[in-house]
Every structure is written in C-alpha cells, then in structure tokens.
Amino acid sequence: QKVAASYFEGVCVVTATPGSGKTRTLTYRVINLIKNHNIIPSSILCLTFTNKAAGEMRTRIAAMIGQQSEKIWISTFHALCVAILRKYGKDVNLSKEFSIYDESDQKELMTKIMRMHDYNGKDVYELCRLVNNFREDIEDFDQYCQSMSIADKEVIEEYLSLLDKWNAVDFSGILYKTWLLLSHKPQVSMDLHNRFRFILVDEMQDTNMIQYEIVKVITDPSTTKTGNLFVVGDPDQSIFAWRGARPSQARPRIRVVNQRRRWCP
C-alpha cells in the first residue's frame, strides 16, 4: 500500500484482492500529493461509480486535510460529464439548461415512440438496452444497426432525434455527448487536462469502453502516452460486464499478489 500511495507521476494501475485497502490506498495517495508534493487540490480529479462512494471518499480525505478537500473534484463519472456538458455543451448542440432523462423517462419515451410506429417487435427494455449499448461501446450506428430490423432502427433513430430536439440527454447520452465533445473539440480536452493534472479512478474494473476513453482523452489529449492516471481495482470483482464493463482494458503496473499483500513490479 505504501508503494502505491507514494507513487507520484505517470500511469499506474493497482490491483488487489477484496478488502485489501484499495480505496484507502487511493485516498492516501491524494494526501501524499498535497502534503508531500505540494500539488494544488483543485488539480486533482477523483472518480468513482456511486454518489455514496464519492461521499465516503470525500469524508476520508476531509478527515485528514480539512477544508483543502473541498477543492478536490470528487464525483461519479456521470456527475463529471454533466458538469462538462453544462459548460461546453453548445459544441454538441446542448444548451446549459438541458434536461436529464433517467431510466424511467427513457422507458416512457421509448414506449410512446413504439406506439407511434405501431411497433410490435422487441420489448421496451430490449430497445433501451440497444440504444444504450451502441453509444457506451462507441460503435458506428449504421454498422450497429445492420443486425437490426428496419423497424428497430426507425424507433431508435426517432428516440435519439427527439432527445436532441428537446435539448435532453439520458444516462448513456451524458457519456456519449461528452465523448463526442472531447473527441471533436481538442481544446476542451486540453482545458480539462490542464486543470486536472492528477486523475484517480476507484473500482476501475467496472468502467465500460466510453468511460475508459473519456478518462484517457483527459489524461492524454495529445496522445503522447503521458499524464498522471492512477487507477485501483480488482478484475475478479467486476460485476458490471452486463453493462459493458471491461476489466481487461487496464494493465497492472503494481499488483498485490495475495492476501498477505506482497508487492511486486
């Protein structure tokens, strides 16, 4: 844990067994950056998957450095992306006042569109899964639709068109619009890179393709394989493969090899 928490610059992946203190290690690295390397707290970005986990991380850090913790950006992926879109959304045709559709809203809108098209194919849950998957896997829509019926494609196209028309995004759209923005507006990526010098991600095994790409482009917008990205996780604990999580995206630099927590390169 000390080796990982003391790690300073560059890319580092830490994997460990359950209960071995991965989040604690990440937290202590934040403290180390501020106390021992004089890193400005506002230049640190910590990402995790739930509001509860983000709150717990914030509480741990605040207990050790006090008010300085308020300047660290600690949030979920979606919260970060919403903030990015509120500021830069005009570049992907979103105004600052865009609406966010939750899963219930998505299902309701999809159901209405299915009725409008007299659609009698897949159920609404399957169509919602399809429209989410192609965006979170960053697949080309036309290629993705080759395995669908014409009716499936028409319903999905109508759904996406209405979201754009009504200045709205669903949960997958939050990630997808952010990825589009960062991919097509290099200056935005560079602005975020310059603000967040150190990026830390907890539970990395649960990131899906688009979350991984968003982190990567902020860490290394100039694609020079530089940047300070520190992730912790355990591929064996991945529980979100059904929503596109890919633990194999990460390649470990530091690993806890057993329950006794011996470190090896």
Side-chain angles (χ1 to χ4, degrees), residues 45-261:
L45 169 65
C46 296
L47 294 172
T48 186
F49 286 86
T50 66
N51 291 322
K52 180 180 179 181
E56 291 176 352
M57 190 183 301
R58 191 176 294 108
T59 299
R60 291 187 188 190
I61 295 174
M64 289 181 279
I65 62 172
Q67 291 185 343
Q68 288 188 90
S69 65
E70 297 176 3
K71 298 178 181 180
I72 302 170
W73 190 293
I74 304 173
S75 76
T76 63
F77 278 90
H78 283 85
L80 171 68
C81 290
V82 167
I84 293 172
L85 293 175
R86 295 289 185 201
K87 184 172 183 178
Y88 300 103
K90 65 180 181 179
D91 291 320
V92 285
N93 301 314
L94 285 174
S95 74
K96 291 183 179 181
E97 298 76 25
F98 66 82
S99 302
I100 299 175
Y101 281 30
D102 62 17
E103 293 179 0
S104 176
D105 297 325
Q106 181 186 52
K107 178 187 171 186
E108 182 179 353
L109 176 58
M110 189 70 79
T111 300
K112 289 179 179 179
I113 295 170
M114 292 165 67
R115 290 172 181 166
M116 289 168 52
H117 285 258
D118 292 324
Y119 177 87
N120 60 0
K122 298 178 175 65
D123 64 33
V124 64
Y125 297 100
E126 180 67 9
L127 282 178
C128 288
R129 185 186 66 80
L130 290 175
V131 76
N132 293 340
N133 282 358
F134 96 85
R135 291 175 294 171
E136 296 199 18
D137 288 339
I138 321 180
E139 295 190 28
D140 178 78
F141 181 68
D142 290 332
Q143 292 184 356
Y144 186 73
C145 290
Q146 288 180 2
S147 60
M148 299 181 194
S149 68
I150 294 176
D152 292 345
K153 182 178 179 180
E154 288 178 346
V155 171
I156 289 175
E157 286 180 327
E158 179 76 9
Y159 172 81
L160 294 173
S161 175
L162 287 177
L163 286 180
D164 287 339
K165 180 180 178 180
W166 294 340
N167 189 41
V169 288
D170 54 23
F171 287 162
S172 294
I174 290 170
L175 300 174
Y176 188 66
K177 290 279 188 178
T178 302
W179 175 79
L180 285 176
L181 172 69
L182 298 178
S183 300
H184 295 89
K185 295 292 179 179
Q187 187 56 51
V188 176
S189 301
M190 189 59 68
D191 288 347
L192 293 169
H193 173 73
N194 290 335
R195 173 174 178 180
F196 298 122
R197 286 188 55 206
F198 292 86
I199 300 175
L200 302 92
V201 183
D202 197 12
E203 304 294 354
M204 185 66 178
Q205 76 275 357
D206 289 327
T207 55
N208 58 22
M209 176 61 73
I210 199 165
Q211 289 165 334
Y212 173 75
E213 290 298 327
I214 288 170
V215 167
K216 188 168 73 172
V217 76
I218 295 175
T219 304
D220 183 23
S222 56
T223 63
T224 55
K225 295 187 178 180
T226 58
N228 301 311
L229 175 62
F230 183 93
V231 304
V232 300
D234 178 7
D236 294 333
Q237 292 184 65
S238 180
I239 59 173
F240 289 116
W242 58 272
R243 72 172 190 190
R246 298 183 182 180
S248 60
Q249 292 168 154
R251 293 292 183 268
R253 295 268 186 96
I254 298 177
R255 178 185 295 275
V256 177
V257 294
N258 59 28
Q259 292 288 358
R260 294 192 298 276
R261 308 171 188 174

Side-chain angles (χ1 to χ4, degrees), residues 2-30:
K2 184 177 180 180
V3 173
S6 301
Y7 192 87
F8 183 37
E9 291 184 304
V11 176
C12 181
V13 179
V14 181
T15 63
T17 53
S20 57
K22 293 184 293 295
T23 301
R24 183 172 184 268
T25 300
L26 183 149
T27 300
Y28 271 85
R29 181 177 185 242
V30 172

